[in-house]
Amino acid sequence: MGIRPVIYFLENNLIEKILSEARDLLCKLGITLHNREVLELLSGYGATIDQDKYHVLFTNDIIDKALGSTPASFKLYDVLGNETHDFSGTNSYFTPGSAAINILDNRTNEIRKPNTADYIHFSKLMSGLKYIASTSTAFIPADVPGKISDSYRLYLSLLYCEKPVVTGAFTIEGFEIMKDLQLAIRGTKEALVAKPLTIFSCCPTSPLKFSDVTSQNVVDCARFGIPVEFISMPLSGFMAPVTLVGSLIQHTAETISGIVISQLTNPGTPVLYGGSPAIFDMRYETTPMGAIETMMIDCAYNEIGKFLNIPTQAYISLSDAKSLDAQAGLESSMGATLAVLSGINNISGPGMLDFESCQSLQKLVLDNEICGMTLRMARGIEPKEDFPSIPLFQELLKEKHLLISKHTRKYIREEHYFPGRIINRANLSRWKEEGELSLTARANQEIERLLKEYQPSRLPEDSIKELTRRMEDEARLHGMDKLPG
Amino acid sequence: MNILQQISDQIDLGDDEKVYELTTTAIEQKIPVKQILDEGLLQGMNIVGRKFKEHEIFLPEVLMAAKAMNAGMELVKPLLLSGNVPMKARVVIGTVRGDLHDIGKNLVGVMLKGAGFEIIDLGNDVTPERFIETAKAEGAQFIGMSALLTTTMPVMKEVVDRIRSENLEDKIRTLIGGAAVSKGYAEEIGATAYCYDGSNAIDYLNSVI
Ligand code: B12
């Protein structure tokens, strides 16, 4: 076995210091938490509550109890019940950046609001993209009422793609139907708990605050054993200290408070120690996901998560570019490389442009290659019948090449990663003869090919019917008689 | 050096105490308040705004300057009101119903305030009624709305529609912003304008008042 390459930004004593500061914040300053039920819950375990101010002071005991019951690993299963993810150790998986507001239209190059047809295209593509292990509710179809937009995208994802889904509810009410859709597939609550199908993103509000919606979503997920990823977003220099360590302290405190809510509700609920922090760009008033410091914070809190023995997640490997240009490629690949080298378990980002606001199908197929390459890198350098080496070199000297050597044929596909046609490795003349295709043109060809080769989901007919019935009922409740498409 | 020039310079340097002192002196010297405002306080902020756009300075310096300008503003404001000199404009701002994203809205509020506008900040999760009732009660000329979610942007249309149905279009203009919306969306729902960030909003408001 070779080594799995891993990089580190933090020393253990710095991690311990950050954790101890975060605990101090939680126990001495406390957090604001706008949910009475959760305040009651915490109070029952000895936290000091001020119901009028929605304020809570944690205790170290509560924190220890919660961290003690948090699973060190968990698995995900696709709609058919097959295992797809083992979130443990340094296993890394990619998932598309989620909940974009816009889509970059691959035919017109226009950035616009997405619709159901776009979502179906996305889901079909996702089922063919090998290196992106789960799908996500990547954008919001604008042709259904706002009230069902969170559940509707989950419905389409489950219908068109077999992969597990990284998702999240926009409201407290949204959870119910999003849970029901999963029950339509798994059958019973017990079956869903045994084989988790989705991960819900739950976002604390920086600084040190939990909204009613987020608190309730965490509780509801815990009750159904649905894994949660906590997405704390300190914005360095604006809504968080400008230093990376200061931002990490804030991120740690916010994430631990989420873990406490989830674990006290239902000990053992699977969670990802996640986030979407960013530095704040003081010139443009924006939150760059492609900034190197943003990525450093991501990798570093992942180390804190691992130190606590909790699997991790990050919004990394995405770009702030507005089109599929060199900036998009460099920011995404830098992020993906760092993420995989850090062993972040669930890496959210592929497809995303413009500060998490815009999904691009073209970028998604390019990013699939970036994912493939970095995952290859994670396998490291491993000796394979390389010792002793003399026989192979004798063969090389005798035959003048190793193209048809048994050694080559045996290991070629394992040792070398072969990207799809979007990565151009033709020589100049061939590239010219084949039409001098640009990256976006090659991406479009790849999109066409994947859509053509799409195989419908193997989800049983009964499940599809049940899924659709529940979604239609929900749509009707919100004044939509017929689902689009 | 001319005292108004000094006020402007100290705003540029972000020194609120000096601006307070200098404005006090300017008032004692009986310089017309309108002139103190335009050639001292606002002039300083104009320079700061230009430097910010050129990346010569960053947001912290702008906000320090805004703080300094507000120190002078505190002294000038009562005189403007008693002298019936119109203030720049009153703007009611908030994040629309169902939306909790208030970071951008807060920033825009601080920047507008720093540029001399009167800001009434309603916070987040603001209903159309509250926007309009507050604007009416406070005599605000603008309502500034923020939305970052696809699901909450339609609330902006509700506000615009109500203003129209109550025939308030001449009195209250609507300004929208936030990641979910765009110039095109402002046109679609009939909002008066869309601004992409704080400085853009300052430029726009300065250009129409
Ligand atoms: C920080 C953040 C949060 C924080 C907000 C904290 C707070 N107090 O505001 C938290 C964590 C709470 C949060 C929660 C959620 N978020 Co959020 N969030 C963001 C993020 C990363 C950055 C927003 C931000 O603050 N930017 C920095 C500020 C300075 O920029 P800005 O807001 O755009 O404002 C500037 C301009 O737009 C303009 N402007 C803004 N308002 C106004 C108003 C006027 C009048 C004018 C003139 C100008 C103007 O000027 C500002 C200064 O330059 C965005 C990503 C993005 N692309 O925007 C997602 C994002 C907006 N969130 C998103 C989502 C999905 C959510 C949640 C639903 C997630 C969940 N499942 O819990 C919840 C929603 C809660 C709710 N009901 O509102 C999605 C939106 C998806 C969609 N299609 O609608 C985004 C795009 C991220 C993503 N892809 O998932 N979020």
Side-chain angles (χ1 to χ4, degrees):
Chain A
M1 266 292 284
I3 49 164
R4 158 49 158 118
V6 180
I7 54 164
Y8 298 97
F9 287 89
L10 304 177
E11 285 178 343
N12 275 357
N13 65 7
L14 182 53
I15 294 182
E16 276 162 13
K17 267 195 184 148
I18 291 171
L19 277 165
S20 135
E21 286 301 316
R23 279 173 180 263
D24 268 5
L25 284 184
L26 293 173
C27 300
K28 293 180 182 155
L29 265 187
I31 67 164
T32 311
L33 200 157
H34 283 270
N35 183 294
R36 300 236 179 260
E37 187 190 339
V38 174
L39 286 174
E40 285 303 326
L41 172 81
L42 295 170
S43 158
Y45 284 95
T48 312
I49 302 298
D50 182 337
Q51 282 277 8
D52 294 337
K53 292 196 177 126
Y54 292 98
H55 186 264
V56 49
L57 285 177
F58 291 75
T59 64
N60 273 313
D61 282 352
I62 294 185
I63 296 172
D64 289 336
K65 185 175 165 56
L67 292 175
S69 72
T70 311
S73 70
F74 69 93
K75 292 176 175 173
L76 284 185
Y77 301 80
D78 67 13
V79 297
L80 306 174
N82 303 315
E83 181 184 322
T84 54
H85 292 64
D86 176 6
F87 291 120
S88 66
T90 49
N91 294 345
S92 290
Y93 303 90
F94 284 94
T95 190
S98 78
I101 296 167
N102 297 316
I103 186 166
L104 173 64
D105 188 314
N106 65 306
R107 279 167 291 245
T108 61
N109 256 337
E110 168 204 13
I111 291 184
R112 59 166 173 81
K113 289 276 181 298
N115 55 36
T116 300
D118 296 318
Y119 203 93
I120 294 174
H121 276 161
F122 162 78
S123 300
K124 288 181 170 177
L125 273 191
M126 272 314 301
S127 78
L129 294 176
K130 250 169 78 188
Y131 304 105
I132 308 179
S134 60
T135 188
S136 79
T137 41
F139 49 84
I140 321 289
D143 52 352
V144 297
K147 286 241 161 65
I148 61 163
S149 61
D150 48 3
S151 50
Y152 181 63
R153 38 177 209 155
L154 177 61
Y155 163 73
L156 293 177
S157 299
L158 294 170
L159 200 60
Y160 286 95
C161 180
E162 293 172 0
K163 295 177 180 177
V165 193
V166 174
T167 185
F170 289 174
T171 58
I172 291 179
E173 302 74 42
F175 175 81
E176 190 67 15
I177 171 72
M178 295 179 78
K179 173 254 312 168
D180 285 347
L181 293 174
Q182 300 182 61
L183 291 179
I185 289 184
R186 291 287 191 252
T188 61
K189 179 183 161 186
E190 291 66 36
L192 181 62
V193 173
K195 292 191 167 184
L197 175 61
T198 62
I199 300 175
F200 272 53
S201 307
C202 292
C203 314
T205 309
S206 285
L208 305 171
K209 199 159 117 187
F210 268 76
S211 66
D212 190 19
V213 180
T214 299
S215 314
Q216 195 60 47
N217 281 169
V218 174
V219 168
D220 291 341
C221 284
R223 286 189 180 135
F224 282 85
I226 296 172
V228 161
E229 54 185 32
F230 292 102
I231 311 291
S232 149
M233 314 179 181
L235 304 179
S236 307
F238 187 8
M239 305 301 286
V242 70
T243 51
L244 307 193
V245 169
S247 294
L248 284 167
I249 294 172
Q250 183 171 327
H251 175 276
T252 308
E254 290 173 354
T255 307
I256 289 182
S257 41
I259 292 174
V260 168
I261 302 174
S262 125
Q263 296 304 310
L264 293 190
T265 305
N266 182 9
T269 300
V271 303
L272 290 177
Y273 196 94
S276 181
I279 59 158
F280 189 71
D281 192 303
M282 302 279 181
R283 302 161 306 162
Y284 290 100
E285 307 166 29
T286 51
T287 54
M289 303 310 296
I292 193 71
E293 300 83 0
T294 296
M295 302 180 200
M296 291 163 74
I297 301 173
D298 287 325
C299 295
Y301 78 66
N302 150 77
E303 288 168 42
I304 298 174
K306 291 206 181 324
F307 184 87
L308 295 171
N309 214 3
I310 303 173
T312 59
Q313 178 276 353
Y315 265 89
I316 185 170
S317 78
L318 56 171
S319 171
D320 305 320
K322 316 300 177 279
S323 64
L324 190 54
D325 58 11
Q327 182 184 342
L330 82 90
E331 291 175 341
S332 305
S333 14
M334 241 192 231
T337 308
L338 286 171
V340 167
L341 284 179
S342 299
I344 295 174
N345 300 108
N346 199 28
I347 307 171
S348 301
M352 200 64 107
L353 294 165
D354 186 19
F355 315 96
E356 304 181 359
S357 295
C358 182
Q359 257 291 344
S360 154
L361 301 186
Q362 291 171 330
K363 181 167 188 290
L364 198 64
V365 295
L366 172 68
D367 288 353
N368 179 57
E369 300 300 346
I370 299 178
C371 301
M373 292 179 200
T374 52
L375 292 174
R376 162 65 188 94
M377 174 184 65
R379 283 196 283 116
I381 297 178
E382 190 184 355
K384 284 163 186 151
E385 292 181 55
D386 289 302
F387 306 117
S389 61
I390 286 188
L392 195 59
F393 283 95
Q394 282 172 330
E395 184 184 342
L396 172 57
L397 294 174
K398 178 164 164 256
E399 302 293 334
K400 310 268 189 282
H401 63 80
L402 287 174
L403 289 171
I404 56 172
S405 146
K406 217 170 142 199
H407 187 257
T408 304
R409 283 179 289 129
K410 182 161 173 198
Y411 291 114
I412 178 76
R413 283 173 202 283
E414 238 178 89
E415 282 289 283
H416 296 184
Y417 169 75
F418 289 92
R421 284 168 193 248
I422 188 164
I423 300 296
N424 191 276
R425 287 184 180 171
N427 66 27
L428 179 62
S429 303
R430 177 168 174 181
W431 173 70
K432 280 188 172 164
E433 208 169 286
E434 290 180 348
E436 302 188 16
L437 293 181
S438 67
L439 179 69
T440 48
R442 299 197 299 274
N444 278 347
Q445 284 188 344
E446 191 64 4
I447 292 172
E448 289 311 317
R449 184 184 69 80
L450 285 161
L451 290 179
K452 217 186 280 152
E453 287 176 7
Y454 170 73
Q455 293 292 326
S457 165
R458 288 165 291 174
L459 191 64
E461 199 54 44
D462 290 352
S463 307
I464 293 181
K465 274 204 191 118
E466 184 56 16
L467 199 60
T468 305
R469 185 187 66 76
R470 294 195 192 204
M471 192 66 233
E472 281 174 350
D473 285 353
E474 181 71 13
R476 229 171 280 123
L477 273 181
H478 297 285
M480 192 169 213
D481 290 335
K482 208 175 162 295
L483 295 172
Chain B
M1 201 198 308
N2 169 336
I3 187 157
L4 298 182
Q5 176 71 47
Q6 286 179 39
I7 292 179
S8 164
D9 287 352
Q10 290 306 324
I11 284 179
D12 191 5
L13 294 172
D15 191 330
D16 53 346
E17 283 170 21
K18 286 250 171 63
V19 171
Y20 190 88
E21 270 168 40
L22 288 163
T23 310
T24 311
T25 316
I27 293 168
E28 281 164 8
Q29 289 177 2
K30 300 265 183 309
I31 300 177
V33 273
K34 181 83 173 82
Q35 207 178 337
I36 302 178
L37 179 69
D38 289 345
E39 293 170 29
L41 299 170
L42 295 180
Q43 175 59 17
M45 283 314 287
N46 285 342
I47 295 170
V48 167
R50 186 195 52 73
K51 285 190 175 174
F52 179 58
K53 256 182 245 152
E54 298 299 321
H55 295 178
E56 279 174 42
I57 56 171
F58 300 161
L59 204 50
E61 288 91 345
V62 177
L63 297 183
M64 288 297 288
K67 202 168 153 219
M69 126 96 191
N70 278 313
M73 198 66 171
E74 232 176 88
L75 297 166
V76 167
K77 200 167 153 185
L79 302 174
L80 288 171
L81 292 177
S82 64
N84 268 334
V85 182
M87 292 280 295
K88 270 180 96 171
R90 199 169 274 189
V91 188
V92 171
I93 65 167
T95 302
V96 300
R97 186 185 60 215
D99 206 322
L100 304 179
H101 295 89
D102 60 3
I103 294 174
K105 181 269 300 168
N106 292 347
L107 185 56
V108 172
V110 174
M111 292 180 75
L112 286 178
K113 191 157 174 242
F117 294 91
E118 266 193 280
I119 300 300
I120 301 157
D121 188 344
L122 299 181
N124 57 25
D125 202 7
V126 182
T127 60
E129 300 78 50
R130 253 187 94 209
F131 272 117
I132 292 172
E133 291 315 316
T134 312
K136 280 203 272 188
E138 301 282 344
Q141 294 88 343
F142 293 92
I143 291 179
M145 293 176 275
S146 183
L148 273 85
L149 295 170
T150 314
T151 49
T152 57
M153 47 191 271
V155 180
M156 294 175 158
K157 182 165 187 303
E158 286 181 44
V159 175
V160 173
D161 287 349
R162 260 168 190 261
I163 290 180
R164 203 171 291 148
S165 70
E166 294 187 31
N167 284 322
L168 292 168
E169 286 152 296
D170 297 337
K171 293 207 184 87
I172 305 174
R173 284 180 271 183
T174 45
L175 195 58
I176 67 169
V181 298
S182 59
K183 196 162 181 223
Y185 187 67
E187 281 161 14
E188 188 186 316
I189 64 169
T192 319
Y194 159 80
C195 293
Y196 57 76
D197 66 12
S199 339
N200 190 224
I202 295 173
D203 286 350
Y204 169 75
L205 287 173
N206 279 334
S207 74
V208 295
I209 55 166

